């Protein structure tokens, strides 16, 4: 599931955006336990993982209890709800990759349809401030999918990342939509 309809995401083009159901914790646990030698996972599933609510954090804590490195990918739109920003960090997520594809409201909301630029900026600042207060090495990373609609804002995206408290910024050059 996702609360966005991003222009570059294939799920946005699926009929009624239908995809598989959320994975239950029992199925997740069984899958993890069957993977001998697993050292790293990425939790996302072509959608917004915080929509899974507390199941997400339970999954992360389970994986971390097995000393598996975990990355969660989020659009940051729901981090302010029910202290999701704290839960994501407190679950000991190794990396929180936050997708932001515009330095201005117009560009961001044109690409990340359904998104609210101001809320995402506020939520990113919130999670980065929380990490700094804990004195943790920053697990957050701002991730930009470079495309023709945001290419002109690359410098501004660096400035925005700094303003929101990110220590890491990645420009993904998949040459989408050129």
């Amino acid at each position: 599931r996702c609360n966005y309809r991003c222009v570059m995401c294939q799920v946005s083009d699926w009929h009624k955006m239908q995809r598989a159901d959320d994975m239950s914790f029992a199925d997740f646990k069984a899958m993890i336990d069957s993977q001998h030698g697993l050292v790293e996972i990425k939790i996302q599933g072509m959608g917004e993982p915080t929509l899974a609510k507390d199941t997400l954090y339970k999954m992360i804590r389970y994986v971390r209890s097995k000393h598996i490195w975990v990355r969660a990918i989020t659009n940051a739109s729901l981090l302010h709800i029910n202290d999701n920003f704290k839960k994501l960090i407190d679950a000991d997520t190794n990396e929180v990759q936050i997708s932001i594809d515009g330095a201005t409201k117009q560009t961001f909301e044109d690409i990340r349809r359904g998104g609210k630029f101001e809320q995402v900026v506020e939520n990113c600042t919130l999670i980065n401030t929380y990490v700094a207060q804990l004195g943790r090495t920053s697990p957050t990373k701002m991730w930009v999918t470079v495309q023709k609609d945001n290419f002109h804002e690359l410098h501004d995206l660096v400035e925005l990342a700094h303003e929101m408290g990110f220590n890491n910024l990645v420009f993904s050059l998949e040459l989408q939509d050129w």
Side-chain angles (χ1 to χ4, degrees), residues 35-59:
Q35 302 298 312
H36 303 289
L38 185 63
V39 296
E40 178 180 335
I41 67 165
K42 173 175 71 171
I43 295 181
Q44 185 223 7
M46 294 173 42
E48 175 51 39
T50 59
L51 288 169
K53 300 182 181 166
D54 288 335
T55 301
L56 169 66
Y57 312 114
K58 189 175 179 180
M59 289 174 171

Side-chain angles (χ1 to χ4, degrees), residues 3-4 48 50 57 74-86 88-89 96 98-100 108 115-131 140 142 160-161 163-166:
N3 54 339
Y4 282 9
E48 175 51 39
T50 59
Y57 312 114
T74 179
N75 61 31
S77 64
L78 305 173
L79 293 180
H80 65 292
I81 296 173
N82 298 319
D83 286 337
N84 282 332
F85 71 98
K86 287 183 180 180
L88 199 52
I89 298 303
V96 179
I98 300 176
S99 303
I100 300 176
F108 177 88
K116 302 280 186 266
F117 180 72
E118 294 87 356
Q119 186 66 67
V120 168
V121 168
E122 183 179 316
N123 288 349
C124 290
T125 304
L126 196 63
I127 195 170
N128 287 323
T129 299
Y130 182 63
V131 168
T140 62
M142 182 168 143
L160 178 63
E163 290 170 17
M164 293 186 294
F166 284 99

Side-chain angles (χ1 to χ4, degrees), residues 4-159:
Y4 282 9
R5 307 298 176 253
C6 300
V7 297
M8 67 284 197
C9 181
Q10 65 272 29
V11 177
S12 298
D13 295 330
W14 295 356
H15 178 69
K16 297 184 180 180
M17 296 195 348
Q18 185 65 39
R19 60 178 202 92
D21 293 332
D22 289 347
M23 183 179 287
S24 71
F25 178 72
D27 287 345
F28 177 81
K29 187 176 182 278
M31 179 187 66
I32 294 298
D33 291 345
S34 72
Q35 302 298 312
H36 303 289
L38 185 63
V39 296
E40 178 180 335
I41 67 165
K42 173 175 71 171
I43 295 181
Q44 185 223 7
M46 294 173 42
E48 175 51 39
T50 59
L51 288 169
K53 300 182 181 166
D54 288 335
T55 301
L56 169 66
Y57 312 114
K58 189 175 179 180
M59 289 174 171
I60 293 169
R61 284 189 303 274
Y62 182 73
V63 170
R64 292 298 297 134
S65 75
K66 297 179 130 325
H67 307 287
I68 297 169
W69 194 92
V70 62
R71 171 187 299 125
I73 301 173
T74 179
N75 61 31
S77 64
L78 305 173
L79 293 180
H80 65 292
I81 296 173
N82 298 319
D83 286 337
N84 282 332
F85 71 98
K86 287 183 180 180
K87 291 176 184 176
L88 199 52
I89 298 303
D90 293 346
D92 196 28
T93 311
N94 297 91
E95 183 178 294
V96 179
Q97 183 178 310
I98 300 176
S99 303
I100 300 176
D101 296 320
T104 62
K105 177 180 176 65
Q106 183 70 48
T107 301
F108 177 88
E109 292 181 6
D110 283 352
I111 293 171
R112 297 224 160 242
R113 296 176 304 200
K116 302 280 186 266
F117 180 72
E118 294 87 356
Q119 186 66 67
V120 168
V121 168
E122 183 179 316
N123 288 349
C124 290
T125 304
L126 196 63
I127 195 170
N128 287 323
T129 299
Y130 182 63
V131 168
Q133 288 171 347
L134 294 176
R136 269 187 73 182
T137 302
S138 183
T140 62
K141 184 180 286 186
M142 182 168 143
W143 191 277
V144 177
T145 300
V146 178
Q147 46 201 292
K148 69 180 181 181
D149 294 331
N150 66 5
F151 185 75
H152 66 285
E153 293 185 353
L154 295 185
H155 181 269
D156 295 331
L157 283 158
V158 174
E159 292 296 323

